[in-house]
Amino acid sequence: NGMEFFSTFGGNNVSCAIGLAVLEVVQEEKLQSHALQVGERLISGLRDLQQRYEIISDVRGSGLFLGVELRKGNAPATLEANRIVNRMRKQAILLGTDGPHHNVLKIRPPMPFCEADADLLISTFAETLFVLSVARRD
C-alpha cells in the first residue's frame, strides 16, 4: 500500500523520563505563569506601539508566543517586516516572519525571558519603527 514503517523512538523509557523531568521543572519553577505575566507585558507594550504606528494592524498571541501583523493600508507590509527583522537582529533581538505574506512578526523568546527583556524588546522595536518611518519620509 506504499506505507513504510516509521518510528520516532518517542515512546521509549528514556524519552518518557526526560519528558516527566521537563514537566516537573515547568511546574516547580512556575514557568507557565511566568510566560503569561511577561507575555501580558509584551502585548501591552506592543499594543501601545500599535496606537502610535499605523503599520501595526494587529497584535495577537498568548504567553511568550506573539505575532505583530504589519500592513500598509490593505496590503501586507512584507518588505517592512523583513527590514524590521534585520534591524532588530543587528540589535541582538531575534524575530521571525510568518503568515502567507510573511508580514507577521513572530516573537517567541525563550522561557527565561523576563520583564526587563520584554521592555528592551519593546523599546528597540519602537526605535526601529521610528527610524524606518523617518527613512520612509526622506
Side-chain angles (χ1 to χ4, degrees):
N1 67 6
M3 187 67 142
E4 295 180 22
F5 176 75
F6 179 77
S7 175
T8 63
F9 301 102
N12 66 59
N13 292 343
V14 173
S15 296
C16 292
I18 292 168
L20 284 173
V22 169
L23 291 174
E24 286 175 13
V25 169
V26 167
Q27 189 173 24
E28 288 170 5
E29 295 184 13
K30 299 179 173 87
L31 294 178
Q32 286 179 298
S33 61
H34 170 79
L36 181 63
Q37 177 182 342
V38 176
E40 286 175 352
R41 187 178 189 115
L42 261 176
I43 287 176
S44 176
L46 293 168
R47 288 195 173 136
D48 287 345
L49 291 176
Q50 183 180 15
Q51 299 303 311
R52 294 173 28 205
Y53 293 94
E54 64 183 45
I55 194 168
I56 300 176
S57 67
D58 192 24
V59 175
R60 56 185 177 264
S62 178
L64 293 177
F65 193 74
L66 306 174
V68 177
E69 185 171 358
L70 305 178
R71 298 189 77 75
K72 289 174 67 177
N74 291 328
T78 304
L79 180 63
E80 291 80 359
N82 286 325
R83 286 181 177 152
I84 289 168
V85 165
N86 288 327
R87 188 166 177 87
M88 295 288 283
R89 180 179 42 81
K90 289 176 183 174
Q91 301 296 318
I93 296 175
L94 300 179
L95 306 176
T97 59
D98 208 344
H101 303 287
H102 299 284
N103 65 314
V104 178
L105 300 176
K106 185 170 43 174
I107 302 170
R108 50 191 172 122
M111 291 300 286
F113 197 77
C114 66
E115 290 184 352
D117 297 323
D119 294 343
L120 177 63
L121 186 149
I122 292 163
S123 65
T124 305
F125 186 39
E127 178 185 312
T128 298
L129 289 168
F130 176 76
V131 167
L132 293 177
S133 69
V134 168
R136 199 165 45 115
R137 285 185 229 150
D138 294 338

